[in-house]
Amino acid sequence: MNKTFKKLSAYLAAAVLFVSAAGFAQAKATNFTTVTLKEINYSKPTNMDKEQFLNIPFGTDIKTLDLSKATDTYSHAILELAFEGLTKTDTKDNKSDVIVPGVAYKYEVSKDGLVYRFYLRNNAYWTDGERVTAQDFVYSWTRLLDPNTASDYAYLLYPIKNAEAFNQGKAKASDLGIKALNDTTLEVTLKAPTPYFISLTSFSNLFPLRKDVVEAAGNSYGQDPSKLVYNGPFTVEQWVKGSKIVLKKNPKYWDAANYYLDTVTFLVIKEEATRMQMFTRKQVDTSTARGEYLKRFQKEAQKGTYKLITGYDRAENYVFFNNKDKNKLFTNRNVRLAFSLAIDREKLCKYVFQRYYPAYGWTPYNILIGDKQYRSLVPEPLKAEKAKYPTDAALKGLLQKGLKELGLNPNATYTVTFLSSGTDSFSRTIAEFYQNEWQKKLGVKVKIDAVSDFGTFLDKVDKGDFQIGAMAWGADYNDPMTFFDMWITGGGNNSAKYSNKKYDELIKKISMEPDNNKRLQYFKEAEKLLVVDDAAIAPTQYRDRYNFTHSYVKNWRLPLFANYELKGVYTSGR
């Protein structure tokens, strides 16, 4: 969830942006610079409760425990606790993230920024007692790229030498720049210096996997937690689909002594009112909030009843159009743009979500390019476009122009289908908002196709069985690329089925360019192309963070570019 990070000093200054915040020891070698990762220390427990557990609410169920195939936030949240990558993302102040040790305790980077060597600790074990080795990373990363895996996140590893070619069936696995020099040394060769590469190594799709365990499970791998081995601080003891996921402390984890929670239960609670009630009754220990609940919890936080983590998030809500719409309508740019500009983003934030910030660009605040916020450097491109169509009549005229270009009757009334990601009351409220906006301003009829769960929603999106949909994208690392490379032709997370050779070329230029000033200009051009010139998607809201926890939860924190980090967390006075 995070892509940041000229000569070697510039490559490293960016690549270890987060590391520097934590502090690191650096020793220069002839051809490599060594970075020794350092941990964050937290207050030691006092007056711990006899039973150490947490209950955390989830808005929907996870989709899989197969880290090569996981795409949803909820699955990633579990994987981050049950597995561990080369590095981890943590925070001490809930404002800035740092890269801390994971399976690797240090790494080296060559002066040309192309070769990384990761040194693995000797005390990292799988739950069955086997050592975690460099080969486990080679296998996992190769599996992620293997076209037979069909991973939506394969493109994350495209910075690696021959990775894209292998993923497209044009190279062999042995050609990949991923090598185990021995059991404890992993060497990665990139095709070009990649400023954000280090921050990728803490993302869950890049965690290790045991070949024998994956192959023994076959196509069912990731569905039965009892058939998996884990190398993270917790194991998945139980997954009751649609209900809960229960994690237990992993005594074989190398840093188990600094994890105090014995059980962490994630409860699937779809209805907001239920979640709010359970939070006030201490049946769940943490929650977000909106509307009247948000105001009430903020007051309680001021009194010390709850702890509050707030600020800009790393995520953005958006509407996406099927650019390959079998009914033709959304294959036209002007049609898509009319639907995008017809959305009253201010009203959506104020009355529907009762929080967040209106979005007229495709990268939120908190996303850095080098050491500067991208959004503060690049104006939101949809604002200028919106000013060209100030009335409903102007928007309808834009729609009619698109209909004419498609050879359709511009005066006819068309029915479009909005795919809703759930049947709960809030999902219905969101769907009905879009329905009312488009029907009133554009004169179309909007049918709502509500599916029962998020997994079904993702399946329909993957198959292109929709016309319009809406969801959120959370940054995988701290660089604008995490918001842009998903829209390349054929990208696994390209929900809009968008394809433009010029856009693809821009993303390729960015991937080969270490100079952040040049990258900034390419990103600016790509953003305008995506949301205005092609109007492939409609950004709607920059998300914020309002996370409340009960005061008895100690050392609670939420890294921006990870879901949860529970090291040092305990309860006292529950």
Side-chain angles (χ1 to χ4, degrees), residues 27-136:
K28 293 186 177 180
T30 304
N31 297 313
F32 286 82
T33 294
T34 301
V35 177
T36 301
L37 298 160
K38 288 198 170 183
E39 302 172 41
I40 299 175
N41 295 316
Y42 299 98
S43 60
K44 294 296 181 181
T46 57
N47 301 315
M48 286 176 60
D49 294 329
K50 185 177 181 180
E51 292 184 85
Q52 289 295 311
F53 66 93
L54 280 185
N55 294 322
I56 300 174
F58 265 5
T60 190
D61 200 0
I62 67 174
K63 192 175 181 181
T64 182
L65 290 169
D66 184 341
L67 59 86
S68 300
K69 297 181 179 180
T71 58
D72 62 291
T73 298
Y74 300 102
S75 295
H76 281 290
I78 300 300
L79 294 169
E80 288 170 7
L81 295 172
F83 294 85
E84 181 173 86
L86 294 168
T87 63
K88 298 173 69 173
T89 300
D90 203 350
T91 180
K92 194 166 187 176
D93 59 6
N94 286 300
K95 294 178 181 178
S96 58
D97 284 5
V98 295
I99 296 295
V100 298
V103 177
Y105 63 93
K106 71 175 181 178
Y107 66 88
E108 297 174 341
V109 58
S110 61
K111 286 187 176 181
D112 59 6
L114 293 178
V115 180
Y116 287 78
R117 289 176 184 160
F118 295 92
Y119 294 88
L120 280 54
R121 61 182 69 254
N122 291 314
N123 58 340
Y125 292 93
W126 296 100
T127 44
D128 65 356
E130 293 288 327
R131 279 267 302 278
V132 179
T133 68
Q135 188 58 46
D136 295 330

Side-chain angles (χ1 to χ4, degrees), residues 286-304:
T286 180
S287 182
T288 58
R290 63 185 184 88
E292 292 303 315
Y293 284 108
L294 177 56
K295 295 176 183 177
R296 172 183 162 189
F297 291 171
Q298 284 179 302
K299 291 179 181 178
E300 292 295 326
Q302 291 173 352
K303 297 176 184 177

Side-chain angles (χ1 to χ4, degrees), residues 484 503 506-507 522-531:
F484 286 91
Y503 185 89
L506 282 168
I507 301 307
Y522 292 144
F523 279 130
K524 182 178 179 180
E525 189 176 347
E527 184 174 31
K528 184 173 180 294
L529 191 60
L530 179 68
V531 303

Side-chain angles (χ1 to χ4, degrees), residues 27-284:
K28 293 186 177 180
T30 304
N31 297 313
F32 286 82
T33 294
T34 301
V35 177
T36 301
L37 298 160
K38 288 198 170 183
E39 302 172 41
I40 299 175
N41 295 316
Y42 299 98
S43 60
K44 294 296 181 181
T46 57
N47 301 315
M48 286 176 60
D49 294 329
K50 185 177 181 180
E51 292 184 85
Q52 289 295 311
F53 66 93
L54 280 185
N55 294 322
I56 300 174
F58 265 5
T60 190
D61 200 0
I62 67 174
K63 192 175 181 181
T64 182
L65 290 169
D66 184 341
L67 59 86
S68 300
K69 297 181 179 180
T71 58
D72 62 291
T73 298
Y74 300 102
S75 295
H76 281 290
I78 300 300
L79 294 169
E80 288 170 7
L81 295 172
F83 294 85
E84 181 173 86
L86 294 168
T87 63
K88 298 173 69 173
T89 300
D90 203 350
T91 180
K92 194 166 187 176
D93 59 6
N94 286 300
K95 294 178 181 178
S96 58
D97 284 5
V98 295
I99 296 295
V100 298
V103 177
Y105 63 93
K106 71 175 181 178
Y107 66 88
E108 297 174 341
V109 58
S110 61
K111 286 187 176 181
D112 59 6
L114 293 178
V115 180
Y116 287 78
R117 289 176 184 160
F118 295 92
Y119 294 88
L120 280 54
R121 61 182 69 254
N122 291 314
N123 58 340
Y125 292 93
W126 296 100
T127 44
D128 65 356
E130 293 288 327
R131 279 267 302 278
V132 179
T133 68
Q135 188 58 46
D136 295 330
F137 285 92
V138 174
Y139 172 73
S140 178
W141 293 17
T142 303
R143 182 174 183 258
L144 184 72
L145 287 165
D146 192 328
N148 294 314
T149 305
S151 172
D152 289 344
Y153 264 115
Y155 65 85
L156 280 179
L157 290 178
Y158 280 9
I160 294 176
K161 180 181 177 182
N162 291 320
E164 184 173 6
F166 174 63
N167 184 238
Q168 296 175 354
K170 299 175 183 178
K172 299 176 293 184
S174 57
D175 298 324
L176 289 169
I178 312 168
K179 310 292 181 186
L181 301 185
N182 52 52
D183 281 353
T184 58
T185 311
L186 177 71
E187 183 177 89
V188 182
T189 304
L190 308 182
K191 63 182 180 182
T194 305
Y196 54 84
F197 179 69
I198 283 297
S199 56
L200 279 178
T201 61
S202 61
F203 189 54
S204 55
N205 289 104
L206 276 64
F207 290 176
L209 284 172
R210 277 266 299 281
K211 181 179 179 180
D212 58 324
V213 175
V214 174
E215 292 183 346
N219 293 332
S220 66
Y221 179 80
Q223 294 301 311
D224 184 349
S226 68
K227 294 183 179 180
L228 277 62
V229 291
Y230 307 94
N231 76 313
F234 297 90
T235 65
V236 183
E237 182 184 70
Q238 191 178 19
W239 175 14
V240 182
K241 295 187 178 182
S243 177
K244 63 182 178 180
I245 305 97
V246 181
L247 305 186
K248 287 289 185 180
K249 181 177 176 176
N250 176 12
K252 289 189 171 66
Y253 178 60
W254 66 270
D255 199 22
N258 290 307
Y259 282 78
Y260 309 116
L261 295 169
D262 295 313
T263 307
V264 183
T265 303
F266 292 85
L267 299 166
V268 179
I269 309 168
K270 295 184 178 182
E271 291 292 344
E272 183 185 37
T274 304
R275 185 177 72 248
M276 296 296 94
Q277 185 180 66
M278 292 180 71
F279 179 68
T280 56
R281 293 178 177 178
K282 300 182 181 181
Q283 292 171 307
V284 295

